[in-house]
Amino acid sequence: MIPKQKNINWILPLIICGAFIFCAAVGMLIDPDAFHKFFSATQINREIPPQLPHKSYYWDVLHYAEMAVNPSCKAFYPLWTFIIRNLFHPQTIEQAAHYFLIVGSGIFLITNFLLFWVIKTALNRTTLAFSIMLAYTVNPMAIFRVIGYTESMFSLFSTLFIWLCLPNNKINQNLKLGFLFIITFLMSLTRPILIQVFFATILTLITIIGLEMLKTKIYSWKNLLIHLQKYHREIKTTVTIWVASLSGYAVYGNYCLQTRGNFFAPFEDQRLWGKKLGIHLELLLFPKSPLVDIIGFYLPLIILLLSLILTYYKYTQKQNIILVPRYRIWWSILYLYPPLLILIYGFNFFKAMKNKITFTQVKIHDYTNNLAVNYIFWFCVYFTTAHSLIQFFTFDRLMSLARYIFATPFFFLPLGYLYRCIPGKIKYQTLLFMSLISAVMLVEQWIKYGQDKWLG
């Protein structure tokens, strides 16, 4: 029995990687330029120069390539370029961009095997782990893990970060904190995570302790102190993450101070791109960018809301009033255009309340009790939610939001955890549907890649 289990750990990730490669191959067959662009170390000569304004051969990889050839302080963080520069010593933009692609693809393949094992360990369900990994690997934003962006390396660090924070991780506490500091430090040098980390860790502690106090129904400072002592490991983990993320940015900020005279130059560059505080309510319906961005905006918020509702009802043992959709088409609406689902669901909910219709009571699995005090679960939920809120309150469009959500593992792990609380097989059907639609969108991404179009 054990050899079979070991084989599964290799065979299933191979199948998942094969699904991604199949989508890429279909896209390259439809547009052969995607094949030449991906495998060639030189740019394709286009027949009609100059290109249209909405096209760019490398997009953001161009900036990474420039930093690899000539180190500089920009809005883009330095670790990815530092590795390529010191490993391969590229002399041109084309060379640097090609090395990014090669290394990114290699990391993607390695991470897929590692992440499958981590998610399988976290969920303790092989079929669910396979379904979650398939959704993670064939979603349209997965293309960014192989075309030279930071998503490949950040996903590797995120996988290690998740593994270190798993509740069933038996590693020594002090050793775990040491490794966690290193991984978080490297993550903060790969992409901007400072605000997201503080948001996620603080709300994670508030949620875990708040749910515990709801369970005991004792609301006092003394009880709060008792819970703070009870979760001293989670508090140490939080402080370690804070110090590591601050230290990581301090290294880059100090470099920016020396080269540009501004410790916060990366934030200043983002401001020059048009980012500033504001509320753009139209983004709730229209992303002003690819449709997948609005999916990336809503899904983390929906998962957060469902998680809070399920854990609240389970902990307080109150009879829940969750309205169960009668038709499976609702799940299709959820994935394709979440605002419509929310409007329809809200209308039916208030209609049922007004007419005093008895709700179908959802049986909440006992596993929800474990979820309520799971640090990494809440961290992932709040981390992805932070991306949605930051984009909503700082930019007039949801540009690139889907990439921040779906190109890294932080969204998919809590999705798997949440599905463990939902009885029945419909969860596997929704994941399969999600993966099928995503695979079609991924093929489209490869076609757009060959045409130098915006990918997200």
Side-chain angles (χ1 to χ4, degrees):
M1 189 70 181
I2 295 177
K4 289 183 179 180
Q5 188 65 26
K6 288 184 177 179
N7 288 336
I8 284 176
N9 291 334
W10 287 99
I11 294 172
L12 294 184
L14 276 175
I15 294 173
I16 293 167
C17 290
F20 176 86
I21 294 171
F22 176 78
C23 292
V26 172
M28 291 175 180
L29 284 172
I30 296 174
D31 187 346
D33 278 354
F35 177 88
H36 296 297
K37 182 176 178 178
F38 186 77
F39 289 101
S40 175
T42 58
Q43 292 192 43
I44 300 172
N45 292 321
R46 302 300 185 187
E47 295 180 359
I48 310 176
Q51 296 180 355
L52 296 175
H54 67 280
K55 290 188 176 183
S56 176
Y57 195 83
Y58 293 124
W59 290 106
D60 285 358
V61 178
L62 173 65
H63 301 289
Y64 292 119
E66 290 172 345
M67 291 175 67
V69 176
N70 297 304
S72 58
C73 169
K74 295 182 178 181
F76 301 90
Y77 283 46
L79 183 59
W80 188 217
T81 59
F82 175 85
I83 290 174
I84 298 301
R85 181 170 61 254
N86 287 278
L87 280 180
F88 301 100
H89 308 287
Q91 301 300 310
T92 65
I93 299 297
E94 289 181 332
Q95 288 179 3
H98 191 60
Y99 289 135
F100 280 124
L101 185 150
I102 293 173
V103 176
S105 299
I107 293 175
F108 162 73
L109 294 173
I110 294 171
T111 303
N112 255 39
F113 285 86
L114 181 61
L115 183 59
F116 175 80
W117 173 76
V118 169
I119 290 181
K120 182 172 171 289
T121 302
L123 303 180
N124 198 26
R125 293 289 186 275
T126 300
T127 303
L128 182 56
F130 175 79
S131 302
I132 290 292
M133 275 299 298
L134 188 63
Y136 165 80
T137 305
V138 299
N139 82 80
M141 298 296 106
I143 192 173
F144 287 100
R145 302 185 204 119
V146 298
I147 60 173
Y149 281 64
T150 59
E151 273 69 16
S152 57
M153 189 192 312
F154 192 80
S155 293
L156 175 59
F157 291 149
S158 301
T159 300
L160 297 173
F161 181 98
I162 289 169
W163 174 71
L164 288 169
C165 294
L166 288 180
N168 50 349
N169 190 325
K170 303 302 181 183
I171 191 171
N172 175 271
Q173 177 70 4
N174 292 329
L175 193 61
K176 184 185 85 169
L177 292 178
F179 284 134
L180 189 62
F181 178 90
I182 295 171
I183 295 300
T184 308
F185 178 83
L186 295 175
M187 288 171 65
S188 65
L189 283 172
T190 306
R191 287 172 61 170
I193 62 169
L194 202 58
I195 298 174
Q196 294 91 324
V197 158
F198 274 81
F199 179 90
T201 51
I202 291 172
L203 288 181
T204 294
L205 289 178
I206 291 174
T207 301
I208 291 174
I209 295 174
L211 287 170
E212 281 283 285
M213 294 182 73
L214 278 173
K215 188 176 184 179
T216 60
K217 299 180 181 179
I218 301 174
Y219 310 105
S220 64
W221 288 109
K222 182 180 179 180
N223 193 39
L224 175 61
L225 290 174
I226 291 173
H227 288 305
L228 288 174
Q229 292 176 353
K230 180 180 178 180
Y231 292 104
H232 64 93
R233 289 190 176 185
E234 286 77 5
I235 293 173
K236 287 181 180 179
T237 298
T238 296
V239 173
T240 300
I241 294 171
W242 287 356
V243 175
S245 56
L246 284 169
S247 300
Y249 182 79
V251 170
Y252 191 38
N254 186 59
Y255 173 76
C256 291
L257 181 63
Q258 295 177 5
T259 57
R260 290 180 55 180
N262 187 348
F263 185 80
F264 298 103
F267 292 97
E268 180 66 20
D269 286 347
Q270 292 186 30
R271 188 185 67 82
L272 295 175
W273 291 347
K275 288 199 170 186
K276 60 181 179 179
L277 288 177
I279 299 178
H280 303 277
L281 296 179
E282 70 277 8
L283 296 181
L284 296 175
L285 298 176
F286 310 107
K288 301 180 184 177
S289 57
L291 182 63
V292 68
D293 286 324
I294 204 167
I295 299 173
F297 174 74
Y298 274 100
L299 289 194
L301 297 172
I302 291 173
I303 288 179
L304 172 60
L305 181 61
L306 284 175
S307 302
L308 290 172
I309 291 173
L310 290 177
T311 51
Y312 170 77
Y313 280 124
K314 191 65 179 178
Y315 256 35
T316 58
Q317 296 183 341
K318 292 183 179 180
Q319 183 176 355
N320 68 75
I321 53 171
I322 303 174
L323 179 64
V324 180
R326 185 180 302 175
Y327 305 107
R328 293 178 183 176
I329 188 65
W330 282 54
W331 304 109
S332 307
I333 298 172
L334 166 63
Y335 184 67
L336 295 176
Y337 191 65
L340 182 58
L341 173 81
I342 293 172
L343 290 173
I344 295 175
Y345 188 94
F347 173 79
N348 283 281
F349 181 87
F350 288 112
K351 181 180 179 182
M353 290 282 287
K354 182 179 179 181
N355 297 329
K356 298 181 179 180
I357 298 174
T358 303
F359 290 90
T360 302
Q361 184 175 0
V362 175
K363 183 180 179 181
I364 302 175
H365 199 281
D366 289 340
Y367 185 80
T368 310
N369 289 320
N370 300 327
L371 201 66
V373 294
N374 189 327
Y375 184 92
I376 190 59
F377 166 76
W378 291 111
F379 176 89
C380 291
V381 170
Y382 284 119
F383 188 86
T384 52
T385 301
H387 277 300
S388 295
L389 296 179
I390 288 172
Q391 196 76 350
F392 180 76
F393 287 112
T394 63
F395 206 38
D396 65 347
R397 60 198 62 224
L398 299 178
M399 192 72 71
S400 296
L401 178 58
R403 174 158 59 95
Y404 302 146
I405 304 299
F406 301 126
T408 63
F410 284 123
F411 168 79
F412 294 91
L413 178 69
L415 181 64
Y417 271 128
L418 186 62
Y419 273 20
R420 277 220 57 184
C421 301
I422 303 173
K425 296 182 179 180
I426 190 172
K427 55 191 175 186
Y428 297 109
Q429 297 169 357
T430 57
L431 280 174
L432 179 60
F433 174 81
M434 182 188 299
S435 298
L436 289 173
I437 298 297
S438 293
V440 174
M441 297 170 71
L442 180 58
V443 170
E444 182 188 16
Q445 286 284 78
W446 280 104
I447 296 171
K448 291 163 67 176
Y449 175 72
Q451 298 171 351
D452 305 335
K453 291 183 178 180
W454 177 256
L455 302 176

